[in-house]
Amino acid sequence: MKNYLSLILVCILSTYSFSQSAKKAAGNPVFKGWYADPEGIIFDKTYWIYPTYSAPYEEQVHFDAFSSKDLVNWKKHENILDTSSIKWAKRAMWAPSIIEKDKKYYFFFGANDIQSDNELGGIGVAVADKPEGPFKDHLGKPLIDKFHNKAQPIDQFVFRDKDGQYYLFYGGWRHCNVAKLKPDFTGFIPFEDGSTFREVTPKGYVEGPFMFIRNGKYYFMWSEGGWTGPNYSVAYAIADSPFGPFERVDKILQQDPKVATGAGHHSVIQVPGKDEWYIVYHRRPLTETDGNHRETCIDAMTFDEKGFINPVKITFEGVKPVKIK
């Protein structure tokens, strides 16, 4: 009997191993669990996704990360940062953004969902020696803890320009700011006019800024609509400078009543050395009405001959394996 059970176990494990190795597409969602606001990025020929743990604010007190060699098979890295390492953060930790600099990994996040300048919270920074952490508080306090230009200090995105300068784009409540980061990410360098926070809000902006460069042009993207509703979506602008002006071009990611609703708060991954792009985003299954029931997905993002982004088709299949050479 014992040998018979062992044989069954071997067969089950072999079948599982075969199914994993033979997996031809990621499928959406790309990993299990309620996760939102995903930042996709590449470190050392490995794809990484850093999402919000999508739960009620009082439970939203930690971050997990996911890594993959091919965009299809994902490994979970649990609890890379939580409130035990960020003493000033108590709740609502979300929308991470990460950057590597000088062999250190800097993890920017929002916490506490502050509603005024009189509350403790805002945008923080953590640092680690590896992309999977563990991360520790870089400053011991928020990097931004006040409302500048009426922008709630949330939804941060770190952008490295062509000249090596790092900028922080951020903002909720329909206002977006950009600020010039110090080299050690401990604060900001004022612009030439003496200001520190420059508003760059395009028409329709709600939250979730993201930027990338393609063919010398700056593509600035953001989320529109309410994050708990079906009409959450992503729009974009194109400019010659990271400061704009950003004239809204169109909406490129939105719900499909046959697939999912609330498709928004995204990031973008480019396959190194190729004009091959993927959009990483969250959406809500058709069966769900809870605002926090959001899943992380990946689909292809393409451009037309003029450089405009084609509308993204959200799918159940997801993307095929893509290894980094």
Side-chain angles (χ1 to χ4, degrees), residues 84 93 102 132 146 153 159 162 168 188 211 251 267 286 320 324:
S84 66
M93 299 179 77
D102 300 330
E132 66 269 31
K146 297 289 188 293
F159 173 70
K162 292 178 289 187
L168 188 72
F188 300 100
M211 179 175 282
K251 185 177 295 187
S267 56
L286 296 176
K320 295 179 180 179
I324 304 171

Side-chain angles (χ1 to χ4, degrees), residues 180-242:
K180 190 175 183 180
L181 282 157
K182 290 182 177 179
D184 58 4
F185 302 143
T186 59
F188 300 100
I189 302 169
F191 293 107
E192 291 180 0
D193 63 1
S195 66
T196 300
F197 301 96
R198 179 180 294 180
E199 184 163 9
V200 291
T201 309
K203 182 179 179 181
Y205 177 93
V206 174
E207 59 195 14
F210 188 87
M211 179 175 282
F212 66 90
I213 301 173
R214 179 179 183 267
N215 294 339
K217 298 289 186 179
Y218 292 82
Y219 288 73
F220 183 58
M221 311 176 80
W222 63 89
S223 291
E224 301 181 344
W227 69 270
T228 59
N231 295 321
Y232 204 47
S233 54
V234 171
Y236 79 107
I238 303 175
D240 295 319
S241 157

Side-chain angles (χ1 to χ4, degrees), residues 35-312:
Y35 290 98
D37 315 327
E39 166 136 323
I41 195 168
I42 295 171
F43 294 130
D44 193 25
K45 295 185 178 182
T46 300
Y47 300 99
W48 287 84
I49 294 179
Y50 297 85
T52 298
Y53 172 63
S54 192
Y57 289 177
E58 305 306 321
E59 300 172 23
Q60 199 169 283
V61 292
H62 81 283
F63 291 102
D64 298 325
F66 298 83
S67 63
S68 173
K69 291 293 186 180
D70 61 2
L71 284 182
V72 170
N73 299 288
W74 292 89
K75 177 183 178 182
K76 183 177 181 179
H77 305 269
E78 294 188 23
N79 206 38
I80 63 168
L81 177 71
D82 62 30
T83 50
S84 66
S85 298
I86 310 296
K87 300 303 182 184
W88 55 267
K90 302 298 181 184
R91 63 197 288 270
M93 299 179 77
W94 63 43
S97 182
I98 188 168
I99 202 81
E100 186 271 333
K101 185 176 187 290
D102 300 330
K103 298 182 180 180
K104 295 281 188 180
Y105 297 85
Y106 295 88
F107 186 90
F108 294 70
F109 60 92
N112 297 355
D113 186 30
I114 63 172
Q115 305 293 301
S116 73
D117 288 344
N118 300 319
E119 301 171 55
L120 177 62
I123 295 172
V125 190
V127 63
D129 295 322
K130 298 182 293 184
E132 66 269 31
F135 288 86
K136 302 297 181 183
D137 198 341
H138 185 46
L139 302 176
K141 61 181 181 179
L143 175 68
I144 304 176
D145 61 357
K146 297 289 188 293
F147 284 68
H148 302 283
N149 303 320
K150 300 181 180 179
Q152 186 187 24
I154 63 168
D155 288 6
Q156 50 291 314
F157 171 65
V158 187
F159 173 70
R160 184 182 186 275
D161 202 359
K162 292 178 289 187
D163 61 0
Q165 177 62 52
Y166 292 85
Y167 295 96
L168 188 72
F169 289 85
Y170 78 92
W173 290 14
R174 301 182 181 275
H175 290 274
C176 183
N177 290 333
V178 61
K180 190 175 183 180
L181 282 157
K182 290 182 177 179
D184 58 4
F185 302 143
T186 59
F188 300 100
I189 302 169
F191 293 107
E192 291 180 0
D193 63 1
S195 66
T196 300
F197 301 96
R198 179 180 294 180
E199 184 163 9
V200 291
T201 309
K203 182 179 179 181
Y205 177 93
V206 174
E207 59 195 14
F210 188 87
M211 179 175 282
F212 66 90
I213 301 173
R214 179 179 183 267
N215 294 339
K217 298 289 186 179
Y218 292 82
Y219 288 73
F220 183 58
M221 311 176 80
W222 63 89
S223 291
E224 301 181 344
W227 69 270
T228 59
N231 295 321
Y232 204 47
S233 54
V234 171
Y236 79 107
I238 303 175
D240 295 319
S241 157
F243 312 116
F246 298 116
E247 297 294 331
R248 186 183 187 276
V249 175
D250 203 357
K251 185 177 295 187
I252 57 98
L253 181 76
Q254 59 187 314
Q255 68 169 331
D256 182 336
K258 296 180 180 178
V259 180
T261 65
H265 205 124
H266 76 301
S267 56
V268 172
I269 292 176
Q270 179 188 10
V271 179
K274 296 184 178 181
D275 192 26
E276 188 173 343
W277 303 77
Y278 297 93
I279 188 166
V280 188
Y281 64 98
H282 75 241
R283 69 192 194 198
R284 188 168 295 104
L286 296 176
T287 56
E288 302 296 327
T289 56
D290 188 318
N292 287 311
H293 287 182
R294 298 171 289 174
E295 299 176 318
T296 292
C297 302
I298 304 177
D299 278 303
M301 190 179 80
T302 61
F303 301 80
D304 69 14
E305 293 179 353
K306 295 182 179 180
F308 295 113
I309 303 174
N310 293 314
V312 174

